Amino acid sequence: MTSKEIRQQFLDFFASKQHKIVPSAPVVPFNDPTLLFTNAGMNQFKDVFLATGSRNYKRAADTQKCIRVSGKHNDLEEVGHDTYHHTFFEMLGNWSFGDYYKKEAIRWAWELLTEVWKLPKERLFATIYRTDDEAMEFWKSETDIKHEHILRFDEKDNFWEMGETGPCGPCSEIHINLSDNYEDPSLVNAGSPLCIEIWNLVFIQYNRDEHGKLHDLPAKHVDTGMGFERVCAVIQNKKSNYDTDVFSPLINEISKLSGIKYEKEEDSIAMRVIADHIRTLTFAIGDGAMPGNEGRGYVLRRILRRAARYGRKLNLTKPFFYKLVDVLVSTMGDVFPEIAEKKDYIKKVIKAEEENFNATLDRGIDLFDDIIKRLKNENKKVIPGKDVFRLYDTFGFPVDLTNVMAQEQGFTIDEKVFDKLMNEQKNRAREASKNKFASITINENDLSSFNIDDENPTLFTGYNELSTTAKVLGFKHEEEAAFIILDRTPLYVEAGGQIDDHGKITINGKVYDVVDVVKIENKVVHVVFGSGIKLNKNDEVKIDVDSERRWDIMRNHSATHFLHNALRTVLGTHVQQAGSYVGPDRLRFDFTHFSKMSEEEIRRVEKIVNEQLRKNISLNHHRNIPFDDAKKMGAMMFFGDKYGDKVNVVQFGDFTMEFCGGTHVQNSSQIGLFKILSEASIASGVRRIEAVTGAGAENYIYEQLEKIKLQDEKVNLLNDEKRHLEKEIASLKFKAKLGQINFILNQKEDINGLPVYKAEVDADNMDELKAFGDELRNRMKSGIGILFAKVEDKALIIAVVSDDLVKEKKLSAGKIVGDIAKMLGGGGGGRPHLATAGGKDVAGIPAALASVEEVVKKYL
Ligand code: ATP
Ligand code: MG
């Protein structure tokens, strides 16, 4: 059975049970800000379950396009590595809205699986929620499943929720055990590819609110979801979804494009990932999403890049991904016409993204080549961990890709150091997310190993300067990294949400990147990669901050303070900062507030902030003042933070004054434009705003313009197509009209032995009438033809005479048409074989038709 038939049989089955078959909702939910992508069939009915909306039917069924790459349901990591999770898949579902409940849901699911599709009963298992005795009862009374195949599980497996909030309830799942031990219940819910969940019957009876509390819904509903690709694999007797006809055309095309067979596990993983990801990209773009730098767009961009990187494993280095759209459209475009309609647009978007990403990768490859050249000169065969890390961190090269590239050149990579650097980065991220004045330890290093005799803290000079000369207090070299402690530094160490500065250090005239700054106790350690660095205590080094980046950070940090106060102005003083991230590219601000901000509230906040920024307010930086004084001034504290005796307070006019150790612009107008990108919930009662300033806002504008341009191009394309179609329709219409000639040919008259044809035809203008004349002349062979048409308030006439009559009888169409036109109050003429004329007397056409015989006779 083909997948197409399977899909149809599902729909037919539920149609026969009085279900209305509804179309799939778009994968991009336009009216649900809590969801990035549609992740289940029930999404489009959420309002029905919550009783905030209704439908004029009580039972529905459909196949729903789903994407699971973010939020509560995220299957990205599984994809390709297993055989049954996809980022995009179809969920077949049937629903009852306060109509039937567990009994029918269970009976019909069983009937479809075992009677229509004839799945082997002995391999099927049903799971139910721990306490759901009702479901247990119905499995026993409504089906002939083996009783020992009904298994109880707890919340983790048998309580379904769409997201952190929303409709939910206990569920009953159907699993199939395809292993040799098919009666073995221990495989159920154990993550085995041979025993998978195919269908989930959810009994929706609760709504979970923002505080996590369950409330009874006004009515009980059924919401089921079956994995279409999984059930196809089972019915088609395949071990993997990718072996079904849903995926094989894609896999074959990838194989063709790469020239690599779908055989070796490593290649196969790459092919599966690519086949999966093209579906997600195509459907998401088809439904209006775009790869980009934020939210949904960012998720898509990451997925596309992931596919491109896997493509490189198959030696696909040029844009190739977009080429798969054709195959996908040819297999699914009839069921989901939206992807067929937008095919060219989708291809264009994907191709542009691929080209963009390839440019980044190519820069990485240049770097890689440099590294290899350098190592060859040094007669080395191992790529140092820091280089592998840089390729990963800056150019997005996964380690295995670097490894493959290294092997090709006869090199290996130092994975140990790479892992270490990765771990450090992860630790940093973890610490950063804790959002405290974080101190990061460099593995086992602590200050004692530096033998420092100076007790003073490293002085942070970065409030006033971005470059300084500093004295070495301590120094250590380990493998290829140097750790340098200085008496002073302009580099900011991540704290209070503001991330580390990047910078350079000049040692004996040589410049090195400072790859990390870490605070250990009261000292700042500068981490520098490079071999052979030699330093002694009290040596002097020059140290510079990457100032462009720092300026971006300062803009974002100062803007955060303005944002904080604007939120309190618009939403109320219950708004408290709950965390923040300040980087060069964007700022993130978490705050306490219980409901989603409206568009209008967001605009007001933006307006207030921008209005203040334009006021050119100077920074009033109170540094190192006693804590109590700061409190007395009324500076806002970050709740839950500990402060020392001496604190810094950052004030901009009378708009904002906060305790803050970060770095700031000197003047509000240096921030430029402030723009909010998104507002969303991150935990109950905590919201998150992401925003950009300065160059970030500028980039944002360009990105939006780019989007509009693409949309415009799309519109132009559609317009061209429309014009083309209109022309085609007009020409088809006219062809149909020309059929009238057959009728005219059948009404031949005979005047003195000569055939004469005459009629009024339905022509819209003289060109059409001429076409009629030509057609008649071609088809009548020998004879005289006279045709009339009414066009608006004019009578048009054409006369045609066949060549033989022009020659032998000296007949002239011009003369004939002239005589007739006179009768209609007009005139005209032309050549002997074809002539046209017009007249004003439209009402005279019947009389003129009648007098044709007379006129013709005159010339014989
Ligand atoms: P699993 O535990 O296998 O990830 P799930 O519990 O997340 O499944 P549900 O949320 O209940 O699945 O979704 C309903 C049905 O959709 C499942 O029974 C399964 O057949 C199918 N399904 C879920 N996630 C995927 C996916 N990522 N790819 C393909 N099918 C899926
Ligand atoms: Mg899942």
Side-chain angles (χ1 to χ4, degrees):
M1 208 186 316
T2 66
S3 55
K4 223 168 258 178
E5 288 162 345
I6 294 170
R7 190 191 286 109
Q8 197 54 48
Q9 286 192 354
F10 173 87
L11 298 175
D12 292 347
F13 178 82
F14 281 102
S16 79
K17 311 277 184 211
Q18 291 75 50
H19 286 62
K20 182 174 170 63
I21 308 304
V22 298
S24 171
V27 274
V28 179
F30 289 105
N31 48 9
D32 189 346
T34 66
L35 265 187
L36 272 193
F37 295 103
T38 299
N39 62 14
M42 58 78 70
N43 294 173
Q44 65 166 308
F45 302 114
K46 199 173 141 188
D47 61 318
V48 184
F49 297 132
L50 292 174
T52 56
S54 64
R55 301 288 183 277
N56 60 3
Y57 43 86
K58 296 202 131 164
R59 298 175 181 189
D62 76 1
T63 177
Q64 172 64 49
K65 304 177 278 186
C66 294
I67 291 183
R68 292 195 169 180
V69 286
S70 60
K72 191 173 181 71
H73 293 281
N74 185 347
D75 294 332
L76 184 61
E77 296 305 324
E78 266 73 48
V79 168
H81 295 275
D82 79 12
T83 49
Y84 58 103
H85 278 96
H86 311 298
T87 58
F88 171 91
F89 65 99
E90 282 178 68
M91 194 187 285
L92 302 171
N94 60 287
W95 289 274
S96 151
F97 308 123
D99 188 29
Y100 65 85
Y101 202 45
K102 294 180 187 174
K103 184 172 162 185
E104 292 84 350
I106 289 172
R107 188 195 321 139
W108 289 337
W110 190 254
E111 184 185 330
L112 177 63
L113 293 180
T114 63
E115 284 171 36
V116 180
W117 286 339
K118 307 248 182 307
L119 300 190
K121 291 175 188 171
E122 64 281 8
R123 289 182 182 273
L124 294 175
F125 288 80
T127 68
I128 59 171
Y129 181 50
R130 196 161 35 83
T131 57
D132 196 351
D133 295 333
E134 210 184 0
M136 173 66 90
E137 236 3 83
F138 290 132
W139 274 111
K140 287 180 178 167
S141 68
E142 300 302 308
T143 77
D144 55 356
I145 191 171
K146 287 196 173 176
H147 290 187
E148 57 280 21
H149 280 202
I150 313 172
L151 311 169
R152 292 181 193 256
F153 283 90
D154 61 13
E155 282 81 355
K156 187 171 100 22
D157 290 297
N158 279 78
F159 196 90
W160 197 89
E161 304 184 50
M162 179 188 76
E164 300 304 334
T165 60
C168 55
C171 63
S172 183
E173 297 174 345
I174 302 168
H175 295 245
I176 188 158
N177 186 339
L178 299 168
S179 74
D180 293 337
N181 289 329
Y182 54 83
E183 300 269 17
D184 180 3
S186 72
L187 285 180
V188 174
N189 276 334
S192 160
L194 292 176
C195 182
I196 55 169
E197 173 192 334
I198 48 177
W199 203 346
N200 192 357
L201 317 178
V202 184
F203 310 118
I204 294 198
Q205 56 187 86
Y206 305 113
N207 177 28
R208 194 184 285 284
D209 71 16
E210 291 203 39
H211 311 283
K213 244 187 98 185
L214 293 176
H215 301 276
D216 274 331
L217 290 171
K220 290 178 180 173
H221 314 280
V222 171
D223 155 36
T224 87
M226 169 155 51
F228 171 63
E229 299 77 5
R230 292 186 190 180
V231 86
C232 286
V234 171
I235 294 175
Q236 297 181 356
N237 229 330
K238 305 284 187 195
K239 284 250 148 60
S240 154
N241 292 4
Y242 295 91
D243 294 338
T244 65
D245 62 344
V246 179
F247 280 96
S248 53
L250 286 169
I251 298 276
N252 290 343
E253 184 68 14
I254 298 166
S255 213
K256 208 172 97 195
L257 289 173
S258 63
I260 295 176
K261 288 209 183 102
Y262 183 60
E263 243 169 35
K264 279 208 312 232
E265 179 62 5
E266 224 187 283
D267 299 334
S268 307
I269 290 175
M271 291 182 180
R272 290 198 290 264
V273 169
I274 295 166
D276 171 87
H277 288 8
I278 192 61
R279 289 169 26 110
T280 300
L281 263 297
T282 302
F283 278 94
I285 296 170
D287 279 344
M290 273 285 269
N293 271 341
E294 20 134 355
R296 186 178 290 143
Y298 187 58
V299 172
L300 290 180
R301 178 163 284 169
R302 264 178 37 223
I303 293 176
L304 186 140
R305 292 186 165 196
R306 207 159 171 263
R309 287 204 311 245
Y310 274 99
R312 296 224 165 200
K313 290 194 184 181
L314 303 173
N315 305 327
L316 292 165
T317 50
K318 299 228 172 66
F320 71 97
F321 198 45
Y322 75 97
K323 294 184 185 161
L324 300 172
V325 175
D326 284 331
V327 181
L328 183 59
V329 168
S330 71
T331 58
M332 295 183 78
D334 54 345
V335 184
F336 300 101
E338 61 276 18
I339 59 167
E341 281 157 19
K342 298 188 186 158
K343 187 173 88 175
D344 293 337
Y345 167 71
I346 295 169
K347 281 165 77 173
K348 206 162 156 180
V349 172
I350 293 180
K351 188 167 176 217
E353 273 290 311
E354 282 190 273
E355 279 165 353
N356 225 327
F357 181 50
N358 277 349
T360 313
L361 275 180
D362 287 342
R363 265 182 282 138
I365 288 169
D366 285 347
L367 175 70
F368 179 84
D369 291 343
D370 285 350
I371 295 169
I372 294 290
K373 215 182 289 162
R374 189 189 77 215
L375 294 174
K376 276 187 181 156
N377 279 339
E378 296 170 0
N379 260 330
K380 288 185 182 153
K381 282 280 165 206
V382 184
I383 303 181
K386 60 150 199 218
D387 288 321
V388 180
F389 183 74
R390 184 146 169 243
L391 283 165
Y392 165 82
D393 199 34
T394 316
F395 299 97
F397 277 45
V399 205
D400 39 2
L401 178 67
T402 308
N403 205 0
V404 170
M405 289 167 56
Q407 279 171 16
E408 281 168 7
Q409 304 269 355
F411 281 71
T412 57
I413 64 172
D414 185 343
E415 270 194 69
K416 233 176 91 192
V417 176
F418 172 81
D419 288 343
K420 191 173 132 197
L421 294 169
M422 271 302 270
N423 270 335
E424 281 172 20
Q425 195 192 43
K426 276 191 196 138
N427 282 337
R428 275 200 300 275
R430 206 174 304 133
E431 288 296 323
S433 68
K434 281 194 205 148
N435 223 329
K436 293 212 188 90
F437 279 64
S439 80
I440 301 155
T441 43
I442 308 171
N443 288 348
E444 281 77 46
N445 288 300
D446 60 77
L447 274 196
S448 62
S449 63
F450 282 91
N451 288 323
I452 297 176
D453 28 38
D454 195 320
E455 305 242 303
N456 291 318
T458 301
L459 180 69
F460 176 61
T461 64
Y463 292 126
N464 306 314
E465 58 184 16
L466 295 179
S467 171
T468 198
T469 305
K471 213 167 72 182
V472 176
L473 298 183
F475 172 73
K476 231 163 66 157
H477 214 303
E478 238 177 47
E479 294 178 41
E480 301 212 43
F483 302 91
I484 306 162
I485 298 183
L486 302 171
D487 67 333
R488 58 182 55 226
T489 185
L491 293 180
Y492 187 82
V493 180
E494 149 124 45
Q498 178 177 333
I499 69 169
D500 287 342
D501 274 334
H502 288 174
K504 293 202 186 307
I505 188 165
T506 313
I507 303 170
N508 296 326
K510 247 184 116 177
V511 183
Y512 299 86
D513 284 336
V514 180
V515 295
D516 198 4
V517 275
V518 182
K519 199 160 195 174
I520 303 183
E521 293 170 34
N522 63 358
K523 303 288 192 296
V524 175
V525 185
H526 299 71
V527 186
V528 172
F529 282 126
S531 38
I533 297 173
K534 287 210 177 61
L535 276 172
N536 293 310
K537 261 183 209 173
N538 292 328
D539 279 354
E540 289 205 332
V541 295
K542 190 168 161 274
I543 180 145
D544 293 282
V545 182
D546 175 341
S547 65
E548 198 176 312
R549 184 171 174 281
R550 161 70 94 73
W551 267 102
D552 286 335
I553 293 174
M554 293 197 292
R555 286 187 188 93
N556 283 336
H557 201 157
S558 302
T560 306
H561 290 204
F562 281 89
L563 169 64
H564 190 178
N565 200 31
L567 285 169
R568 290 168 66 93
T569 309
V570 172
L571 302 177
T573 47
H574 62 278
V575 168
Q576 290 268 352
Q577 175 167 354
S580 72
Y581 162 91
V582 179
D585 53 334
R586 64 176 55 205
L587 65 93
R588 204 165 64 204
F589 187 74
D590 300 341
F591 59 101
T592 50
H593 182 55
F594 278 93
S595 55
K596 169 145 195 72
M597 285 177 73
S598 68
E599 284 278 316
E600 196 236 317
E601 284 168 338
I602 292 176
R603 286 288 165 273
R604 264 170 64 207
V605 167
E606 284 175 340
K607 278 206 172 326
I608 290 175
V609 171
N610 282 315
E611 202 177 286
Q612 292 297 326
L613 298 188
R614 284 193 291 270
K615 281 188 183 162
N616 210 28
I617 310 170
S618 295
L619 165 70
N620 192 351
H621 207 172
H622 311 272
R623 284 209 294 274
N624 256 330
I625 58 169
F627 176 80
D628 289 331
D629 291 0
K631 247 175 88 178
K632 263 185 233 144
M633 284 160 54
M636 253 200 297
M637 293 171 65
F638 183 5
F639 185 73
D641 241 353
K642 285 201 180 67
Y643 295 96
D645 301 338
K646 294 286 178 68
V647 295
N648 289 353
V649 169
V650 171
Q651 180 181 10
F652 284 95
D654 49 18
F655 189 73
T656 153
M657 177 158 58
E658 291 190 22
F659 281 64
C660 177
T663 62
H664 289 268
V665 297
Q666 291 301 311
N667 189 298
S668 66
S669 45
Q670 288 171 319
I671 296 172
L673 180 68
F674 169 83
K675 179 82 189 75
I676 292 177
L677 302 181
S678 64
E679 191 274 346
S681 157
I682 50 165
S684 85
V686 182
R687 319 278 316 167
R688 167 171 294 175
I689 278 183
E690 294 208 303
V692 285
T693 66
E698 193 181 329
N699 289 340
Y700 175 75
I701 291 171
Y702 284 126
E703 234 174 63
Q704 296 303 310
L705 288 175
E706 190 56 32
K707 260 192 218 172
I708 294 172
K709 214 171 89 189
L710 266 167
Q711 295 286 356
D712 279 353
E713 280 174 23
K714 201 174 92 185
V715 170
N716 285 341
L717 225 76
L718 286 175
N719 269 337
D720 284 351
E721 209 172 301
K722 180 168 166 267
R723 239 171 278 135
H724 182 76
L725 286 175
E726 278 169 357
K727 263 197 197 152
E728 219 169 84
I729 288 173
S731 104
L732 282 175
K733 255 195 191 156
F734 184 65
K735 274 206 184 113
K737 275 194 207 169
L738 274 182
Q740 294 171 34
I741 295 292
N742 290 332
F743 182 72
I744 296 166
L745 287 168
N746 278 334
Q747 301 207 316
K748 182 167 77 174
E749 279 177 30
D750 199 80
I751 300 175
N752 295 357
L754 295 183
V756 173
Y757 305 90
K758 59 176 191 185
E760 183 179 342
V761 296
D762 173 22
D764 285 345
N765 48 47
M766 189 46 107
D767 281 344
E768 282 192 16
L769 186 62
K770 270 190 189 151
F772 271 108
D774 283 336
E775 181 79 4
L776 177 59
R777 193 168 183 280
N778 286 338
R779 295 185 49 193
M780 71 188 180
K781 295 198 184 88
S782 175
I784 301 160
I786 296 160
L787 301 176
F788 296 81
K790 229 180 286 170
V791 176
E792 285 158 22
D793 50 358
K794 276 211 188 97
L796 301 182
I797 316 152
I798 188 163
V800 291
V801 177
S802 57
D803 288 340
D804 56 336
L805 300 186
V806 172
K807 232 196 210 160
E808 290 158 21
K809 305 270 176 195
K810 300 281 179 275
L811 280 179
S812 160
K815 284 186 186 152
I816 296 172
V817 91
D819 286 357
I820 293 173
K822 248 184 242 154
M823 284 182 247
L824 296 174
R831 289 154 300 153
H833 61 281
L834 184 148
T836 59
K840 288 197 241 5
D841 182 11
V842 180
I845 291 180
L849 258 169
S851 61
V852 162
E853 180 166 87
E854 212 175 295
V855 175
V856 171
K857 273 187 181 153
K858 217 168 96 185
Y859 294 105
L860 289 178

